[in-house]
Amino acid sequence: MQALPKESVIAVVGSGAMGSGIAQVAATAGHQVLLFDTRVEAADKAIDGIKATYAKLVEKGRMGAVEADLAGERLKRIGSLQEAAGAALVVEAIVENLDAKRALFAELEGIVLDDCILATNTSSISVTAIAAKLRRPERLVGMHFFNPVPLMALVEVISGIATDKAVADTTYATAEAWGKNPVHAKSTPGFIVNRVARPYYAEALRLLLEQAGDPATIDAVLRDCGGFRMGPFELMDLIGHDVNFSVTNSVYDAYFGDPRFTPSILQQELVDAGFLGRKTGRGFYRYGEGVDKPAVHTEAPQARPDSVALIGGESSHLAPLAARLAAAGFELPRHEAFEGTPGFLCAGAAVYLTDGRTATERAAETWHPDTVIYDLLLDAGKATRIALARADQCSDAAYHAVVGMFQAAGFAVTRLDDVPGMAVMRTVAMLANEAADAVNQGVCSAAAVDIAMQKGVNYPRGPLAWADSVGLQQVVTVLTNLAATYGEDRYRVSPLLRRKLAADPQGARFHA
């Protein structure tokens, strides 16, 4: 399916941050853009702002002066919806209210031509519900941009139950022609990003509730070990807890109370207190002049252990970490007394990658008190920090030796309390599980969910690509152990994960 030609007129209704951003992108792509807002001054201000942005891009050498002038000339404020009668595409970017959107599209349907595509930029309202009252619901599609629109590459192209495939395909091709990374999705609660991202916040909130660490420390682990651009607590503060909590509640309600999306009482408390994050000066952190960000818990320097050995079998996860320890001068002979799970033996301490159980539980099951587990690393060769948890039975001497081992390899070491799955591993496992369920339920493809999470929320790796890297068996093991520990349906394993493992236990993957 081809994109709308450049001579097609694009109308944008709503001139707030999203509407003006969409107008800028469409005008830059070569379309005449008609911008409508019930507040005339707001539309004029938006156009002035877009032209000022073009001027800054010219100053920075990222846009030619002639190109900027032509793009600016393609922007026009219209005083009534009637002036959008000849538009080939109308994109709605008004308030997130079902009745308001329905009323707007009902009015537009009486104005535009029959082949005009009607698109809603809704981030959470059912596209099916918005279209339900239209005479021709098949021409309404979701076109969900992300803020700031000119910078964020993702566009979720959402098909409601009545949306014509040709309409969705044309919208997809048009977004692509505008320089975006579009993905197809079915109209379900949260679409792709707002659904699949829920565990990033939910697991962090549970870790805080269970006193695994303070917000600054958990944020640092997700950033420095997991490679996420922002930690979950600083991200929730940036989004605003009223907004983030509202989205979580809407997804939870829309899925009829599915425990996987259960809101957090900690976030409810912040909202009730009015501590909404950056915009109010206080959330999980305090903001303002003279306010220092809390320190990240980092273990004090410990002595380098005399020797470290490899235990258990071979492992793709162990290899890059072993290479880093070898580069630090450890010889790493293989110790035959331990069989099974790959790991290290350091001053009598058995050191393993977390599998969703606590270190204390593993120590009890193996009859080896000195047990330490470490969290998942996005890139063991480049990570600056590693997170550890020690069994309650573990001696100080054995634990300090493990800390010294990782410090000798160049890691800052953070201790988390001994919670199941630690921070990065349980978060990645839950993100992958939710992504797998979205694919299993026909919301989107495996490729689409990975593109959406990387381009829409800047994840360092798509959740299913990450599952491939970690190993689907490891992901399922972590989720199974979390479910056994908590006894909650929240951690149920996606049927698609189980199916892939059953089909190919050794080489199951989402991506070839």
Side-chain angles (χ1 to χ4, degrees):
M1 186 64 67
Q2 293 186 337
L4 293 172
K6 287 187 177 181
E7 56 267 23
S8 299
V9 175
I10 309 299
V12 179
V13 181
S15 62
M18 298 303 293
S20 61
I22 295 166
Q24 178 182 326
V25 168
T28 303
H31 295 275
Q32 181 185 359
V33 178
L34 308 177
L35 186 60
F36 174 78
D37 198 299
T38 54
R39 303 160 300 155
V40 173
E41 68 283 359
D44 286 335
K45 182 178 179 181
I47 291 175
D48 290 341
I50 295 169
K51 290 179 178 179
T53 298
Y54 286 152
K56 290 179 182 177
L57 291 173
V58 172
E59 288 177 11
K60 295 177 180 178
R62 293 164 57 188
M63 192 176 194
V66 174
E67 180 188 2
D69 287 343
L70 290 173
E73 290 173 4
R74 288 192 286 267
L75 291 161
K76 178 185 176 182
R77 191 256 305 162
I78 57 176
S80 72
L81 289 176
Q82 296 291 335
E83 295 179 65
L89 168 67
V90 180
V91 184
E92 165 271 313
I94 64 170
V95 62
E96 277 289 276
N97 178 277
L98 175 60
D99 290 338
K101 292 180 188 296
R102 278 179 168 174
L104 172 63
F105 284 117
E107 184 176 357
L108 283 168
E109 195 172 37
I111 296 171
V112 298
L113 301 174
D114 287 346
D115 60 352
C116 176
I117 295 173
L118 302 177
T120 173
N121 183 53
T122 182
S123 61
S124 59
I125 300 174
S126 166
V127 172
T128 297
I130 294 172
K133 302 293 186 180
L134 293 179
R135 176 171 45 84
R136 292 187 55 212
E138 66 273 10
R139 65 167 162 172
L140 188 133
V141 66
M143 200 175 189
H144 180 209
F145 292 82
F146 287 73
N147 193 30
V149 175
L151 300 180
M152 298 301 288
L154 182 67
V155 177
E156 291 180 321
V157 177
I158 315 298
S159 292
I161 196 169
T163 304
D164 189 287
K165 183 179 184 300
V167 168
D169 288 345
T170 299
T171 303
Y172 181 103
T174 300
E176 197 169 42
W178 292 0
K180 297 301 183 181
N181 285 114
V183 292
H184 282 294
K186 187 167 66 176
S187 182
T188 53
F191 308 143
I192 302 175
V193 172
N194 278 332
R195 170 185 176 167
V196 176
R198 295 341 300 158
Y200 190 61
Y201 314 112
E203 294 309 307
L205 288 161
R206 174 160 282 194
L207 288 168
L208 184 62
L209 184 67
E210 296 180 3
Q211 304 180 78
D214 57 78
T217 297
I218 296 172
D219 275 349
V221 169
L222 269 295
R223 287 194 313 267
D224 301 344
C225 304
F228 290 93
R229 186 167 297 183
M230 294 183 73
F233 298 109
E234 58 187 348
L235 181 55
M236 284 184 276
D237 272 6
L238 178 64
I239 294 168
H241 292 286
D242 51 343
V243 175
N244 188 263
F245 187 64
S246 176
V247 172
T248 298
N249 274 282
S250 68
V251 173
Y252 177 71
D253 291 341
Y255 278 105
F256 308 107
D258 188 330
R260 189 171 285 170
F261 306 110
T262 302
S264 170
I265 58 172
L266 290 181
Q267 195 167 39
Q268 174 75 76
E269 285 285 282
L270 288 177
V271 172
D272 288 347
F275 298 162
L276 305 182
R278 287 181 178 270
K279 59 188 174 185
T280 61
R282 182 174 177 182
F284 285 110
Y285 300 101
R286 291 180 181 270
Y287 301 90
E289 291 186 16
V291 177
D292 294 326
K293 194 170 183 177
V296 175
H297 174 73
T298 303
E299 295 285 55
Q302 300 295 332
R304 176 192 176 104
D306 293 334
S307 63
V308 178
L310 295 172
I311 57 176
E314 300 292 332
S315 166
S316 59
H317 310 137
L318 201 65
L321 198 51
R324 185 158 170 174
L325 289 169
F330 292 106
E331 293 186 3
L332 301 177
R334 185 161 293 280
H335 197 293
E336 301 299 336
F338 287 77
E339 298 179 357
T341 306
F344 302 99
L345 187 65
C346 175
V351 185
Y352 303 112
L353 175 67
T354 177
D355 67 355
R357 293 176 292 171
T358 62
T360 301
E361 185 179 1
R362 294 181 75 164
E365 291 180 1
T366 59
W367 296 85
H368 192 84
D370 291 334
T371 295
V372 177
I373 57 177
Y374 62 91
D375 207 351
L376 180 66
L377 297 168
L378 173 68
D379 186 339
K382 297 179 180 178
T384 58
R385 183 178 302 276
I386 193 166
L388 306 179
R390 59 184 285 186
D392 292 346
Q393 307 93 313
C394 184
S395 69
D396 288 344
Y399 173 68
H400 290 155
V402 175
V403 172
M405 174 185 76
F406 284 117
Q407 288 173 336
F411 289 101
V413 178
T414 287
R415 179 186 171 188
L416 296 178
D417 194 38
D418 189 23
V419 294
M422 302 194 73
V424 181
M425 180 64 89
R426 71 190 282 170
T427 298
V428 168
M430 286 294 280
L431 289 170
N433 199 43
E434 197 56 52
D437 251 8
V439 174
N440 193 52
Q441 295 164 9
V443 175
C444 60
S445 67
V449 73
D450 277 356
I451 291 170
M453 302 315 290
Q454 287 185 285
K455 300 298 184 180
V457 281
N458 291 316
Y459 282 6
R461 186 178 287 164
L464 296 182
W466 212 334
D468 286 346
S469 175
V470 173
L472 301 196
Q473 182 59 69
Q474 178 76 5
V475 171
V476 169
T477 297
V478 169
L479 293 168
T480 301
N481 287 330
L482 287 169
T485 298
Y486 289 106
E488 295 179 33
D489 197 43
R490 172 191 183 112
Y491 297 104
R492 67 185 185 274
V493 179
S494 169
L496 184 57
L497 283 171
R498 293 197 184 278
R499 178 178 173 180
K500 282 188 169 291
L501 277 178
D504 186 1
Q506 302 304 317
R509 295 176 63 84
F510 281 95
H511 303 290

